[in-house]
Amino acid sequence: MALTPADVARLAELARIRLTEDELSALAPQLDVILDAVAGVAEVASADVPLTSHAVPLTNVFRPDVVGPSLAAEAVLAAAPAAEDGRFRVPRILGEEQ
Amino acid sequence: MSVELYDFDQAMAEFDPVLGLEVHVELNTVSKMFCSCANVFGGEPNTRTCPVCLGLPGSLPVVNAKAIESAIRIGLALNCEIAPWCRFARKNYFYPDMTKDFQTSQYDEPIAFNGWVEIDVDGEPFRIEIERAHMEEDAGKSVHVGLSGRIGDADYSLLDYNRAGTPLVEIVTKPITGTGAKAPAVAKAYVAFLRDLMLALGVSDVRMEQGSLRCDANVSLMPKGATQFGLRTETKNVNSLRSIEAALHYEIRRQAALLAGGGKVHQETRHWHEEGHTTPGRSKETAEDYRYFPEPDLVPVAPSPEWIAELRETLPELPDRKRKRLKAEWGFADQEFADIVNAGALDLIEATVAAGASPAAGRKWWLTELARRANEAGCELAELAITPAQVAELQALVEAGTLNDKLARQVIDGVLAGEGSPSDVVTGRGLAVVSDDSALAAAVERAIAANPEVAERIRSGKVQAVGALIGAVMQEMRGQADAAKVRELVLATLS
Ligand SMILES: [Zn+2]
């Protein structure tokens, strides 16, 4: 599995990380090494080993539909870098609408 | 920026539309999907959050049992198969409406899949195939602060997480083909169908204006007779039935103009504006971009066949079946029945009939006199301050001869004014038809004496002149007499 600098550029875009051409070229083979290591697991897994996403064999862990206490708005906003009108204030969101 | 639009009929002569509808239904559980914060619309911002719905480190989500029940019941009502085992997944994206940087959703293991519903558009049935109905959580609400209030030229945005974590069921159709020019009407009818269905199930408030029922409408065009679908757009922000129809109408005209001019449709999301047009949003992300993976903090959901059977037992008679049954039972013509449905009077008339009135009487009161009152008050029929049982009682009073139609209308005035039941109003206002024969006979004598020429004409055989005397008697009795009886009395006296 050989990642190209273009693949890495796509990943960087999704992760919102800005990388230079040199970094893309340098990272591609490094990520390859990681992918190869993970691919090793696939060799061990045989058809009789079911896919696992949870370490414990539990299903149907539910809670009743009952309202409990929420946090006070002041406490919630206390750690916000900026707040206004009881809301979190965030920098403008780019690239969602032209 | 001017957008070229094709004539709609011309577009439909050259292209076949393919629809895809994604409807989000906010469930009306009392608490959120994965935490115990209250699930209520609106309120002071950020007053209904906790470590779970804020995604704070160390918090663990736990699934709301009622939300699963509602999702399964929705799936069953949509004729879906219910997954014997399914998981939640993380849908990763960067957007501040979720503090976690992901939305807990379902990916390739929806709780319900492979369903269908049959809807009706102007008497023509359309079968809509359901791809899936999956569970997920709603995001927070953002307000964009800037000149236009729109995201693109905002200076900054403000976030309220009260809505974050509200349980949602997203219902996705398979591609809908074969609708032709009815595509916008089919989409509207389908969403109306889902709204009625959710109401009947009692799983959601389905208030489109509050966003508890939302629709994203996908549409593409292909040359007439082709089988290869064209590139589609997804219009978001469509929050009324009327807008769904209008937005699709617009998109079809816009895409047709592009294609007919030799251009291409960009696969993208578009935003509907109530003034009647769409504007482009982001280029559509692909599923890979969201890097879905199984949610490690939630264990799988595995509803047993017994549980599913139990939930199936709780399904009410679903609206489409109820309509078919009542139409057959009541025996109205297609148009008469359609009028009832369109007026929102089906349940009201059903309850009126259950309270003892005939379907014809139920239809008569709700679609004429009461429809007029609702129209004057600018409200829905169901919001009028009169119950179906009271309408049935009113009709019983008319049939017993206690009230004529004119008095019945006064009784409706009284009931709507809060004077009690129809019988209370009859007593309170002294409205009953006078059946005291001597009082009536005296009034007839006086009317004959006051109109000697009319009386003479009736005596000489011109029976049609009797109307003038009936009018005089009814006036004296202030309308509280049975006109047929008055006529009988007048003719008997003059013969
Ligand atoms: Zn919470």
Side-chain angles (χ1 to χ4, degrees):
Chain A
M1 178 134 192
L3 281 179
T4 65
D7 294 328
V8 182
R10 178 76 184 127
L11 288 173
E13 186 195 333
L14 289 172
R16 306 296 193 266
I17 300 169
R18 193 179 294 133
L19 295 174
T20 64
E21 289 296 328
D22 288 348
E23 286 169 320
L24 292 176
S25 305
L27 281 170
Q30 290 179 26
L31 283 172
D32 257 344
V33 173
I34 297 171
L35 286 180
D36 282 344
V38 177
V41 177
E43 288 165 24
V44 179
S46 58
D48 58 339
V49 179
L51 295 174
T52 304
S53 57
H54 296 82
V56 284
L58 279 176
T59 57
N60 296 345
V61 176
F62 302 135
R63 58 175 192 82
D65 183 25
V66 174
V67 174
S70 294
L71 296 169
E74 305 76 61
V76 170
L77 293 165
E84 188 176 311
D85 290 338
R87 296 169 172 90
F88 289 82
R89 179 177 163 155
V90 301
R92 60 183 298 205
I93 302 156
L94 297 172
E96 281 292 310
E97 193 187 62
Q98 286 160 15
Chain B
M1 181 189 73
S2 84
V3 175
E4 219 186 305
L5 295 178
Y6 222 48
D7 175 71
F8 185 80
D9 294 334
Q10 187 60 33
M12 290 297 90
E14 294 174 29
F15 300 99
D16 282 328
V18 179
L19 295 175
L21 299 165
E22 295 171 17
V23 172
H24 288 85
V25 178
E26 271 185 5
L27 301 180
N28 58 2
T29 53
V30 298
S31 64
K32 291 187 180 181
M33 184 83 199
F34 303 113
C35 65
S36 60
C37 288
N39 173 27
V40 195
F41 177 77
E44 286 298 304
N46 294 306
T47 51
R48 293 194 305 273
T49 66
C50 71
V52 173
C53 55
L54 287 175
L56 297 184
S59 63
L60 265 184
V62 186
V63 174
N64 183 335
K66 181 76 189 292
I68 301 282
E69 277 188 17
S70 295
I72 293 175
R73 292 176 74 235
I74 290 171
L76 292 172
L78 296 172
N79 302 300
C80 286
E81 295 171 49
I82 304 300
W85 189 91
C86 64
R87 289 176 296 189
F88 285 96
R90 290 189 181 184
K91 179 181 182 179
N92 299 281
Y93 66 96
F94 289 96
Y95 195 80
D97 64 0
M98 284 306 245
T99 55
K100 305 181 290 185
D101 273 351
F102 65 83
Q103 179 191 29
T104 307
S105 181
Q106 292 194 293
Y107 180 44
D108 50 359
E109 297 165 5
I111 188 147
F113 52 95
N114 273 349
W116 58 269
V117 297
E118 191 183 288
I119 60 164
D120 177 284
V121 179
D122 304 328
E124 187 183 348
F126 285 94
R127 183 180 160 106
I128 311 285
E129 305 284 341
I130 307 292
E131 170 89 29
R132 56 192 277 155
H134 71 254
M135 297 178 287
E136 62 184 27
E137 59 179 339
D138 210 344
K141 224 175 180 138
S142 34
V143 181
H144 307 297
V145 181
L147 276 182
S148 72
R150 280 173 54 194
I151 193 169
D153 45 14
D155 297 323
Y156 55 91
S157 298
L158 297 176
L159 272 302
D160 167 15
Y161 295 105
N162 281 346
R163 198 179 64 183
T166 294
L168 284 180
V169 169
E170 180 176 344
I171 301 163
V172 183
T173 64
K174 290 182 182 163
I176 303 166
T177 56
T179 59
K182 281 193 174 170
V186 166
K188 179 185 175 190
Y190 167 72
V191 177
F193 176 96
L194 288 188
R195 185 194 57 187
D196 293 350
L197 187 65
M198 299 305 141
L199 270 183
L201 290 170
V203 294
S204 171
D205 303 335
V206 288
R207 303 277 295 267
M208 291 193 85
E209 76 284 4
Q210 293 185 354
S212 56
L213 182 78
R214 310 198 286 270
C215 177
D216 297 338
N218 288 274
V219 65
S220 66
L221 297 181
M222 55 187 178
K224 205 130 196 100
T227 50
Q228 176 80 41
F229 296 170
L231 286 176
R232 69 177 191 274
T233 58
E234 177 179 0
T235 304
K236 292 187 172 285
N237 199 27
V238 200
N239 49 17
S240 73
L241 291 177
R242 197 184 54 80
S243 302
I244 290 166
E245 198 170 16
L248 283 169
H249 200 267
Y250 177 91
E251 266 305 288
I252 287 171
R253 295 181 61 197
R254 192 188 65 85
Q255 291 186 16
L258 279 174
L259 295 171
K264 278 175 80 173
V265 173
H266 293 281
Q267 183 149 330
E268 63 190 357
T269 55
R270 298 185 65 88
H271 293 259
W272 169 250
H273 302 274
E274 286 300 329
E275 314 86 76
H277 65 279
T278 63
T279 53
R282 63 193 143 91
S283 293
K284 201 152 164 43
E285 266 124 348
T286 64
E288 279 157 23
D289 293 346
Y290 288 120
R291 291 151 293 148
Y292 283 95
F293 62 86
E295 167 58 82
D297 286 348
L298 293 167
V299 302
V301 175
S304 68
E306 295 76 31
W307 190 24
I308 294 170
E310 225 171 86
L311 291 172
R312 195 186 290 278
E313 286 298 306
T314 70
L315 295 186
E317 182 182 28
L318 301 177
D320 53 333
R321 271 163 240 178
K322 180 178 190 170
R323 262 173 229 165
K324 278 185 191 143
R325 174 177 64 81
L326 290 178
K327 183 161 186 295
E329 281 177 20
W330 292 350
F332 289 125
D334 288 357
Q335 191 54 50
E336 288 174 329
F337 192 78
D339 289 344
I340 291 173
V341 173
N342 293 338
L346 191 72
D347 291 341
L348 294 167
I349 295 175
E350 188 193 21
T352 306
V353 171
S358 69
R363 183 179 188 281
K364 177 187 127 184
W365 289 115
W366 286 106
L367 289 203
T368 55
E369 193 58 26
L370 293 169
R372 191 171 66 74
R373 305 303 177 100
N375 196 29
E376 282 168 9
C379 71
E380 299 291 323
L381 277 178
E383 291 166 353
L384 286 174
I386 187 166
T387 64
Q390 288 171 335
V391 174
E393 186 188 341
L394 182 77
Q395 176 63 20
L397 289 169
V398 171
E399 284 169 18
T402 309
L403 296 176
N404 55 26
D405 277 8
K406 180 171 170 244
L407 290 174
R409 284 195 287 276
Q410 293 180 39
V411 170
I412 289 174
D413 290 338
V415 174
L416 293 178
E419 294 168 27
S421 71
S423 306
D424 293 340
V425 177
V426 167
T427 314
R429 293 193 177 193
L431 286 179
V433 168
V434 172
S435 50
D436 175 349
D437 285 351
S438 60
L440 209 52
V444 168
E445 292 294 349
R446 276 194 293 278
I448 290 170
N451 300 279
E453 307 92 63
V454 180
E456 196 46 52
R457 274 161 59 207
I458 297 169
R459 275 198 196 89
S460 64
K462 293 199 162 46
V463 178
Q464 64 271 31
V466 75
L469 292 183
I470 296 172
V473 173
M474 293 300 278
Q475 196 175 6
E476 186 175 339
M477 303 300 295
R478 292 175 28 249
Q480 291 174 247
D482 181 343
K485 191 163 184 187
V486 172
R487 178 190 161 92
E488 210 174 281
L489 255 177
V490 171
L491 293 178
T493 311
L494 293 176
S495 65

